[in-house]
Amino acid sequence: ACAEHEFTIAGEKIAGANPFDPLESPDHIARLKARCDYVIVLHHGGKEHYRYPTPGLRKVCRKMADKGADLVVCQHSHCIGAFEKYNEATIVYGQGNFLFDRSDNEFWSTGLLLQVSLAEKLFVEYIPFCKKGNGVQLAEKKDEYSILGPFFLRSEQILKPGFVESEFARYCDENGQYYMAVFAGFGKIVRNIDKLFKGFFTRRLYSWKKASLIQNHVECESQRETVIGYLNNKRLRN
């Protein structure tokens, strides 16, 4: 199991989840494959509330499969996503929630159990369940199709050349304003007002030059490492 770098990852002096390392984690999988018949990776990765894999997530999961993972299950999106067969491996991009009290809508309150059969080849069956009151139960027959139908449709869509990239580009266009508002230091109330006015405040705060500078700080590995180091130090001191 491994996780993207969020607040709960382990450090030298902090307990937490095993952080994914793009250089070391694939080699770890390869070493496990040399000793095991099957390797199943639970990856806490993916964009919250987004039903498709991002281009980066798909690249990471496929690398895990290339290194020997037979099944990769992503569990960070808080919604049921899609799956694909890649070479001999199965990759599940979003297993959904198990039990969260935030909302009772389908997006937030459904998930998939994975029934894994280990024979000559690993085989996965998908069993939908729903949150009911303060617990969960297997989905009723009438709900199975409404959950599994879109799941299988999305799984077909992500196989189309360019779909993952174009869909994520659309998502970024629709939701990028939130991050710009966060970088600007806007509180929740101002962020919601800015969203209501379609990014009016952030568009005027960030010129093209300022936005390009932020992109460089986020995208450049050395710049990003410096920013993260500063934020980590600040968080640990508070």
Side-chain angles (χ1 to χ4, degrees), residues 199-229:
F200 175 86
F201 300 111
T202 51
R203 285 199 306 273
R204 277 150 182 77
L205 182 63
Y206 291 110
S207 64
W208 177 86
K209 185 176 181 180
K210 287 183 178 179
S212 297
L213 184 62
I214 290 176
Q215 179 184 2
N216 180 66
H217 291 344
V218 172
E219 195 169 52
C220 173
E221 288 81 359
S222 297
Q223 298 276 18
R224 184 170 67 244
E225 187 174 8
T226 303
V227 171
I228 291 173

Side-chain angles (χ1 to χ4, degrees), residues 21-61:
D21 187 302
L23 299 179
E24 295 183 358
S25 296
D27 290 339
H28 185 202
I29 293 171
R31 290 194 297 270
L32 287 173
K33 186 62 176 180
R35 296 159 39 200
C36 305
D37 294 327
Y38 298 98
V39 175
I40 298 175
V41 178
L42 303 182
H43 181 47
H44 189 77
K47 181 67 189 75
E48 299 101 322
H49 314 143
Y50 183 60
R51 292 190 183 273
Y52 298 98
T54 67
L57 178 66
R58 182 171 64 174
K59 186 179 293 185
V60 165
C61 292

Side-chain angles (χ1 to χ4, degrees), residues 2 10 21 42 48 55 68 80 88 93 100 109 124 159 169 177 227:
C2 55
D21 187 302
L42 303 182
E48 299 101 322
I80 297 174
E88 296 297 319
Y93 299 110
F100 279 80
S109 61
V124 181
L159 299 180
Q177 171 270 337
V227 171

